[in-house]
């Protein structure tokens, strides 16, 4: 299985967020917990899902990543864009920070 | 499933006929449209009234001749996103159905006003605090864009009716 | 233009409050996302790729300076200083927070605006001709009935949970600028032989996965019966529209599967039942609304004055080539002598189609007030229009627009494209569209070349949903995902006007690197084969078909 991270949207502000090792959510994909087995993925998804029930996030799902320079980078272009921001406005979104 | 009228829980003297069961005269059961059609001749013989439960794909037209012998029609919303039942209700009322029109299935608070406007009398729900929710839902809007068979006037009539300006305040 | 009375004000205020309650119930956890989603959608609130997105309707595309200024403020205060005009006469804000949305709706209500039914499986914002009330050939202002339908469809108790979304477009002119044949219901306002106003009703048009051209269900419905007739259509659709498959749920599929005859029979039967009921809009209401759309106070010019103005314009054009260029494409004749319609294309070379900054909104608002009798329009082609400009003011208007990057002289030319947000913003996208649009724009930036190519509509979507109207583009581009790569399918010969046609696929898709070259090949092929410079791309295509283009495009392969 390819390496995976778990992502969601923050309920209040709609920001894309990534599940950390310590079960909190980060806005920075670099801080995401990376899992490499199906069991670990299921466990991570379950942790994320619990926050759906607690109305902290919504739309929890796993994303395929590769590790580049020690940080996870989504392999799908859509997910990569989601970690950056609109490609026509590099002054906006996460890439601007 | 608890039955509510205007948000208040009321007694339900009707039961749904099981899929495999056969109706008997005057047993106060609610039949599917198929069950009704299969047993119609026999059931109409007595003096009793019956209940019918409608699914979204059922043609309400098939009940036209029997409406005076039907005391309750339960319209099913399989999910709240399936709004077929609102049109079925409108047609039934227009066909002259005077009995109890009840809504069953997955219905959310934000549809209570629509139920009321489309001619429903009762609602099956196991939600709590239906009274407050009902009150809230029905008080949120006092201006309406369209007629729907109830006594709420569409704005295009209300704004030209004398002495009606205050209604919108 | 239409002004809210106390009924409209109460309605929008109550609706904003209602949504405030819904947001509160969502945040408290009382509503699950599954339950909240259709409610937020019915208020135009999406969850997109990066954030929530709020879509605000501009009914039939008409706005005042006050409204546009408020949009500018909202863009600054709750968003990132800009907005995006869509193909359905809406404006989208890309970054609002859920918690802020109730306040935004309140701010909108204060200027008679809202986001009601800009999304969801309900009747959407009614769109119309962006030149309504300003062009000479119009039979009757389509916005009168658009407004009637808008009010009737708002929070409709029976039609708020339809099988799928439902879009109306209304035109009052034989020249169709509102793409009425690509809508679930299209209405062409016309007069019958007795001189009565009514509408021809088309049903079952649409884009998406299965593009269809609407069919006439009734040639003429008198205006007082219009609501009853459309209600009959909606009832038939709500009862019989398919709910088992999202892609087969639009009314176009119902019409296609059952045939227009069966649908007509059902609709007519239903109409016969409800004609003359309280769905009949009283004449005094039609008159009340019509009064809002009566001609503004146009100034009358005598022949001498007109001649002087024209002479002056000619001199200005002679002295200033940029102004002349803008006059050539962006200024259209007005029904009133001495006036003109001015297009503000949101299509600067290399820019994002439809995007406008809050600062630019303020500029347009000022100019609307100063030069256009306080009225402006948004078109489905993602442009803005000042509909009532005195010819004598054109130069001053252009100078102001130009100094704020709003004077691009390309209305109707190849760089005046429709481009949907695509994957840069949209959660449903299969590919990006904005960067491709930007590259095409840069490739064809040269004005002389644009003139040579002539009238050309490129329309691009980032997925099969076809918000970018690619099926109706003279050249249509659809971005799809091919094994993780963004590739682009090209269609030719589509048209969204009164001669509506669906574009035909030219062949296998092109990669992002190839697609702009492919467009250039198509354009060059056209230039080679046209019979004269007067033969437009669309006419030439209709004469020769796909083959010559195919040959050139795939010759090397
Ligand atoms: S066409 Fe597709 S990608 Fe473009 S805006 Fe519509 S849904 Fe999004």
């Amino acid at each position: 299985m390819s390496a995976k991270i778990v992502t969601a949207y923050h309920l209040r502000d709609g920001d894309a967020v990534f599940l950390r090792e310590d079960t909190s959510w980060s806005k920075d994909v670099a801080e995401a917990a990376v899992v490499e087995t199906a069991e670990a993925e299921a466990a991570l998804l379950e942790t994320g899902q619990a926050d759906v029930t607690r109305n902290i996030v919504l739309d929890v799902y796993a994303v395929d990543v590769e590790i580049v320079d020690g940080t996870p980078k989504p392999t799908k272009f859509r997910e990569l864009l989601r970690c950056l921001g609109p490609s026509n406005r590099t002054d906006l979104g996460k890439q601007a920070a | 499933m608890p039955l509510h009228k205007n948000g208040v829980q009321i007694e339900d003297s009707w039961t749904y006929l099981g899929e495999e069961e056969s109706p008997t005269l005057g047993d106060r059961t609610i039949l599917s449209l198929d069950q009704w059609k299969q047993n119609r001749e026999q059931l109409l013989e007595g003096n009793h009234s019956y209940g019918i439960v409608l699914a979204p794909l059922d043609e309400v037209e098939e009940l036209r001749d029997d409406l005076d012998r039907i005391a309750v029609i339960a319209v099913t919303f399989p999910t709240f996103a399936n709004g077929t039942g609102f049109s079925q209700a409108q047609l039934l009322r227009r066909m002259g159905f005077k009995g109890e029109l009840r809504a069953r299935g997955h219905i959310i608070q934000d549809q209570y006003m629509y139920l009321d406007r489309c001619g429903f009398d009762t609602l099956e729900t196991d939600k709590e605090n239906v009274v407050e929710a009902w009150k809230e839902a029905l008080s949120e809007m006092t201006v309406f864009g369209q007629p729907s068979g109830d006594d709420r006037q569409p704005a295009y009539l209300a704004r030209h009716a004398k002495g009606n300006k205050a209604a919108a305040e | 233009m239409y002004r809210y009375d106390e009924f409209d004000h109460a309605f929008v205020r109550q609706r904003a409050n209602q949504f405030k309650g819904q947001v509160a119930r969502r945040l408290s956890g009382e509503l699950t996302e599954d339950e909240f989603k259709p409610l937020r959608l019915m208020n135009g609130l999406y969850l997109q790729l990066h954030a929530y997105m709020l879509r605000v309707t501009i009914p039939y595309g008409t706005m005042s300076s006050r409204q546009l200024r408020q949009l500018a403020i909202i863009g600054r205060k709750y968003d990132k200083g800009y907005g995006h005009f869509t193909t359905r006469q809406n404006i989208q804000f890309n970054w609002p927070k859920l918690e802020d949305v109730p306040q935004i709706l309140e701010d909108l209500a204060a200027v008679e605006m809202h986001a009601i039914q800009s999304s969801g499986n309900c009747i959407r914002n009614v769109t119309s001709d962006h030149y309504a009330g300003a062009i000479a050939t119009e039979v009757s202002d389509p916005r009168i009935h658009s407004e009637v339908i808008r009010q009737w469809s708002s929070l409709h108790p029976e039609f708020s949970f339809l099988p799928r979304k439902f879009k109306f477009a209304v035109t009052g002119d034989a020249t169709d600028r509102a793409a009425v044949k690509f809508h679930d219901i299209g209405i062409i306002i016309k007069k019958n032989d007795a001189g009565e106003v009514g509408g021809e009703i088309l049903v079952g048009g649409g884009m998406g996965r299965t593009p269809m051209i609407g069919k006439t269900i009734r040639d003429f419905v008198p205006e007082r019966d219009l609501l009853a007739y459309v209600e009959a259509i909606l009832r038939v659709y709500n009862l019989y529209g398919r709910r088992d498959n999202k892609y087969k749920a639009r009314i176009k599929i119902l019409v296609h599967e059952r045939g227009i005859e069966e649908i007509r029979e059902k609709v007519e039967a239903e109409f016969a039942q409800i004609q003359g009921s309280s769905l009949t809009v009283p004449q005094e209401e039609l008159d009340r609304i019509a009064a809002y759309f009566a001609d503004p106070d146009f100034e009358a010019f005598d022949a001498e004055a007109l001649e002087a103005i024209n002479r002056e314009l000619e001199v200005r054009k002679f002295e200033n080539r940029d102004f002349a260029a803008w006059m050539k494409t962006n200024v259209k004749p007005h029904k009133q002598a001495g006036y003109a319609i001015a297009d503000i294309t949101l299509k600067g070379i290399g820019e994002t189609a439809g995007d406008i900054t809050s600062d630019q909104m303020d500029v347009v608002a000022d100019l609307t007030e100063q030069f256009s009798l306080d009225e402006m329009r948004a078109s489905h082609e993602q442009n803005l229009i000042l509909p009532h400009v005195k010819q004598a003011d054109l130069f001053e208007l252009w100078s102001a627009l130009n100094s704020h990057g709003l004077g691009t002289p390309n209305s109707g030319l190849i760089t005046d494209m429709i481009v949907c947000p695509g994957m840069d913003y949209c959660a449903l996208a299969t590919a990006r569209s904005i960067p491709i649009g930007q590259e095409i724009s840069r490739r064809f930036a040269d004005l002389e070349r644009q003139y040579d190519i002539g009238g050309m509509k490129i329309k691009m979507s980032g997925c099969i949903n076809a918000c970018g109207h690619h099926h109706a583009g003279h050249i249509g581009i659809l971005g799809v995902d091919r094994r993780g790569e963004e590739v682009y399918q090209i269609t030719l010969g589509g048209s969204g006007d009164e001669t509506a046609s669906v574009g035909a696929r030219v062949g296998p898709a092109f990669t992002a690197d190839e697609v702009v070259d492919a467009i250039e090949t198509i354009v060059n092929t056209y230039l080679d084969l046209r019979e004269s410079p007067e033969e437009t791309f669309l006419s030439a295509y209709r004469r020769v078909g796909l083959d010559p283009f195919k040959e050139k495009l795939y010759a090397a392969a």
Side-chain angles (χ1 to χ4, degrees):
Chain A
M1 170 184 124
S2 91
K4 285 187 199 273
I5 59 172
V6 163
T7 185
Y9 290 90
H10 199 261
L11 171 65
R12 274 168 198 275
D13 58 20
D15 235 328
V17 287
F18 308 92
L19 197 53
R20 289 192 185 100
E21 209 78 61
D22 68 359
T23 76
S24 64
W25 296 93
S26 168
K27 300 201 171 194
D28 184 358
V29 64
E31 297 181 6
V34 181
V35 290
E36 313 236 346
T37 67
E39 298 82 67
E41 180 193 347
L44 204 59
L45 278 171
E46 199 178 316
T47 309
Q49 207 58 43
D51 280 346
V52 172
T53 319
R54 291 163 55 212
N55 298 302
I56 295 169
V57 296
L58 56 140
D59 262 12
V60 174
Y61 62 99
V63 170
D64 289 343
V65 293
E66 54 189 358
I67 306 300
V68 179
D69 300 330
T71 55
K73 184 182 164 200
T75 50
K76 270 217 185 97
F77 186 64
R78 175 188 198 273
E79 297 306 323
L80 186 62
L81 266 182
R82 196 163 163 271
C83 297
L84 297 170
S87 68
N88 63 317
R89 290 291 302 265
T90 47
D91 57 324
L92 299 178
K94 296 180 187 301
Q95 60 200 349
Chain B
M1 184 71 66
L3 186 68
H4 296 76
K5 189 178 175 80
N6 296 328
V8 182
Q9 194 172 338
I10 56 168
E11 203 199 325
D12 186 0
S13 56
W14 293 83
T15 51
Y16 287 90
L17 188 69
E19 241 174 83
E20 304 296 321
E21 293 176 88
S22 318
T24 47
L25 286 182
D27 58 359
R28 291 188 82 76
T29 52
I30 301 179
L31 291 72
S32 72
L33 189 60
D34 275 345
Q35 287 172 326
W36 172 253
K37 285 195 288 190
Q38 278 158 24
N39 298 286
R40 178 177 174 274
E41 311 266 291
Q42 170 213 334
L43 292 176
L44 284 176
E45 271 171 28
N47 235 341
H48 308 282
S49 304
Y50 295 91
I52 307 287
V53 54
L54 289 177
L57 294 177
D58 288 340
E59 284 274 2
V60 297
E61 196 55 40
E62 302 195 57
L63 293 176
R64 184 182 282 277
D65 295 337
D66 304 331
L67 286 178
D68 54 344
R69 296 295 299 278
I70 299 171
V72 49
I73 298 178
V75 175
T76 312
F77 294 82
T79 77
F80 73 94
N82 184 335
T84 315
F86 294 112
S87 286
Q88 289 175 323
Q90 288 282 22
L91 288 181
L92 285 166
R93 285 301 186 213
R94 210 179 61 210
M95 277 158 54
F97 177 61
K98 298 271 181 345
E100 172 191 341
L101 200 49
R102 75 165 68 168
R104 68 190 285 269
H106 184 198
I107 291 151
I108 56 175
Q109 173 180 334
D110 306 272
Q111 294 174 315
Y112 291 173
M113 170 70 97
Y114 298 158
L115 291 180
D116 196 58
R117 293 210 65 199
C118 289
F120 285 93
D121 302 296
T122 55
L123 164 70
E124 292 179 8
T125 178
D126 55 4
K127 289 215 175 86
E128 283 163 27
N129 290 330
V130 186
V131 182
E132 277 100 281
W134 186 270
K135 239 194 231 154
E136 190 184 337
L138 267 78
S139 62
E140 281 169 340
M141 303 298 300
T142 61
V143 180
F144 306 95
Q146 60 298 106
S148 72
D150 60 0
D151 52 13
R152 297 175 179 94
Q153 248 192 340
Y156 60 74
L157 296 178
R159 56 168 55 101
H160 300 287
K162 281 218 168 58
N164 224 342
K165 292 280 178 197
E169 298 304 322
Chain C
M1 54 180 273
Y2 189 72
R3 294 301 312 260
Y4 280 14
D5 67 1
E6 66 269 41
F7 288 89
D8 303 297
H9 273 298
F11 183 87
V12 173
R13 235 185 303 113
Q14 290 170 0
R15 179 68 180 121
N17 264 327
Q18 187 180 39
F19 189 63
K20 193 182 201 170
Q22 290 166 349
V23 170
R25 279 191 282 141
R26 174 69 187 111
L27 290 173
S28 77
E30 197 183 317
L31 284 176
T32 65
E33 185 59 22
D34 279 351
E35 291 175 326
F36 180 61
K37 190 174 173 184
L39 303 177
R40 68 166 157 79
L41 286 178
M42 260 177 252
N43 242 306
L45 187 64
Y46 282 76
L47 188 61
Q48 290 290 23
L49 193 62
H50 309 293
Y52 289 107
M53 177 270 278
L54 182 68
R55 182 181 292 157
V56 176
T57 67
I58 302 159
Y60 34 87
T62 297
M63 259 195 294
S64 68
S65 61
R66 181 161 159 257
Q67 293 175 318
L68 188 55
R69 262 185 215 112
Q70 186 77 318
L71 293 177
I73 292 172
I74 288 169
R76 255 183 230 112
K77 202 158 142 194
Y78 306 103
D79 209 86
K80 296 186 191 278
Y82 70 108
H84 172 78
F85 283 99
T86 76
T87 54
R88 292 215 77 252
Q89 299 179 316
N90 297 312
I91 184 169
Q92 295 180 173
F93 293 106
N94 294 303
W95 310 89
K97 292 185 175 32
L98 176 59
E99 307 172 288
D100 287 338
V101 174
Q103 187 57 50
I104 298 177
L105 294 182
E106 259 178 55
D107 293 357
L108 287 169
V111 294
E112 307 181 6
M113 294 187 86
H114 60 73
I116 298 169
Q117 289 168 211
S118 59
S119 175
N121 292 336
C122 50
I123 300 166
R124 303 286 189 90
N125 184 33
V126 180
T127 56
S128 188
D129 183 355
H130 45 268
Y131 290 166
I135 37 151
T137 46
E138 191 166 87
V139 173
S140 168
D141 197 315
R143 295 172 300 172
I144 300 166
H145 292 287
S146 302
E147 175 60 25
V148 171
I149 294 167
R150 181 189 76 80
Q151 294 193 24
W152 159 83
S153 66
S154 296
L155 300 190
H156 200 295
E158 192 182 340
F159 306 137
S160 288
F161 296 88
L162 295 168
R164 203 76 177 83
K165 57 188 166 185
F166 203 97
K167 300 174 179 177
F168 275 84
V170 187
T171 178
D173 190 20
T175 301
D176 179 13
R177 280 167 295 267
V180 296
K181 294 186 178 174
F182 280 105
H183 283 74
D184 296 278
I185 289 182
I187 300 178
I188 304 168
I189 301 293
K190 47 162 130 168
K191 284 193 175 132
N192 66 7
D193 294 339
E196 295 165 326
V197 175
E200 175 182 343
I201 316 283
L202 294 100
V203 68
M207 308 237 190
R209 172 181 291 219
T210 326
M212 301 250 181
I213 291 176
K215 299 182 178 67
T216 298
I217 185 163
R218 212 203 232 223
D219 215 31
F220 187 83
V221 177
E223 59 179 344
R224 63 179 173 281
D225 289 334
L226 273 176
L227 277 192
Y229 203 85
V230 298
E231 175 142 324
I233 295 175
L234 264 298
R235 186 160 297 133
V236 168
Y237 172 56
N238 195 36
L239 286 166
Y240 300 107
R242 287 181 60 173
R243 296 177 194 260
D244 57 330
N245 179 339
K246 183 178 161 195
Y247 295 107
K248 299 202 173 266
R250 296 286 291 270
I251 196 172
K252 64 188 174 189
I253 303 292
L254 184 69
V255 172
H256 181 70
E257 287 182 348
R258 306 245 183 159
I260 184 73
E261 293 76 22
E262 184 185 334
I263 299 303
R264 182 181 293 126
E265 211 174 285
K266 282 186 159 33
V267 169
E268 289 286 340
E270 179 61 24
F271 175 59
Q273 296 277 325
I274 56 181
Q275 185 184 20
S277 69
S278 53
L279 282 161
T280 310
V281 180
Q283 190 59 42
E284 50 192 332
E285 174 70 356
L286 291 176
D287 292 345
R288 182 187 76 92
I289 295 175
Y292 289 117
F293 296 110
D295 282 347
D297 279 332
F298 291 126
E299 199 177 315
F301 298 93
D302 59 25
E304 207 177 314
L306 287 174
E307 215 195 297
I309 294 166
N310 266 318
R311 245 188 338 252
E312 157 102 16
L313 278 177
E314 287 309 315
V315 173
R316 291 288 193 188
K317 287 201 283 191
F318 183 76
E319 287 171 354
N320 191 318
R321 283 188 51 198
D322 291 344
F323 175 61
W326 183 77
M327 285 289 292
K328 183 179 164 110
T329 50
N330 290 41
V331 175
K332 310 282 159 65
H334 197 280
K335 65 180 181 187
Q336 179 77 17
Y339 282 79
I341 302 170
D343 292 342
I344 305 170
T345 65
L346 301 178
K347 312 287 170 61
I349 298 302
E351 286 175 9
T352 302
D355 274 13
I356 179 170
T357 66
S358 284
D359 292 347
Q360 287 176 321
M361 287 186 226
D362 279 339
V363 170
V364 175
D366 290 345
L367 298 173
T368 296
E369 201 174 8
Q370 199 181 343
F371 294 121
S372 186
L373 298 168
D374 205 20
E375 199 181 313
M376 55 88 53
R377 310 285 173 81
S379 76
H380 85 269
E381 295 182 321
Q382 299 177 290
N383 293 324
L384 302 181
I385 289 104
L386 298 187
H388 305 307
V389 182
K390 271 188 224 161
Q391 285 181 307
D393 291 336
L394 283 167
F395 184 76
E396 209 183 321
L397 169 66
W398 170 79
S399 308
L401 286 172
N402 207 36
S403 62
H404 292 93
L406 292 164
T408 314
N410 62 350
S411 181
L413 299 177
I414 189 168
T415 56
D416 181 10
M417 285 168 280
I418 289 180
V419 183
C420 87
M423 202 186 273
D424 284 303
Y425 291 96
C426 179
L428 300 171
T430 43
R432 283 177 296 170
S433 33
I434 293 171
I436 304 296
Q438 291 173 305
E439 211 183 315
I440 294 173
S441 171
R442 282 189 285 261
R443 180 76 62 96
F444 290 97
D446 182 70
L447 251 191
E448 289 309 320
R449 190 170 176 213
Q450 293 194 56
Y451 292 151
D452 190 26
I453 298 164
M456 166 72 92
K457 293 188 191 294
I458 295 184
K459 304 184 180 182
M460 181 169 11
S461 309
C463 83
I464 198 84
N465 279 338
C467 304
H469 292 196
H470 63 276
H471 297 297
H474 299 169
I475 298 178
I477 306 174
L478 167 65
V480 294
D481 175 290
R482 193 173 62 193
R483 290 181 295 278
E485 189 191 8
E486 297 170 291
V487 297
Y488 297 87
Q489 294 174 355
I490 296 181
T491 50
L492 299 180
S495 171
D497 63 9
E498 62 283 1
T499 69
S501 53
V502 174
R505 205 118 143 236
V506 73
F510 296 89
T511 64
D513 287 341
E514 297 162 347
V515 64
V516 182
D517 289 337
I519 301 298
E520 192 159 22
T521 303
I522 291 165
V523 169
N524 288 338
T525 307
Y526 152 68
L527 292 175
D528 285 344
L529 63 71
R530 69 181 174 191
E531 287 178 329
S532 73
E534 280 69 50
E535 190 182 41
T536 61
F537 175 84
L538 188 61
S539 323
Y541 170 83
R542 284 175 174 169
R543 176 170 57 80
V544 302
L546 275 179
D547 285 344
F549 298 97
K550 250 190 186 146
E551 263 164 46
K552 284 281 196 296
L553 280 170
Y554 301 103

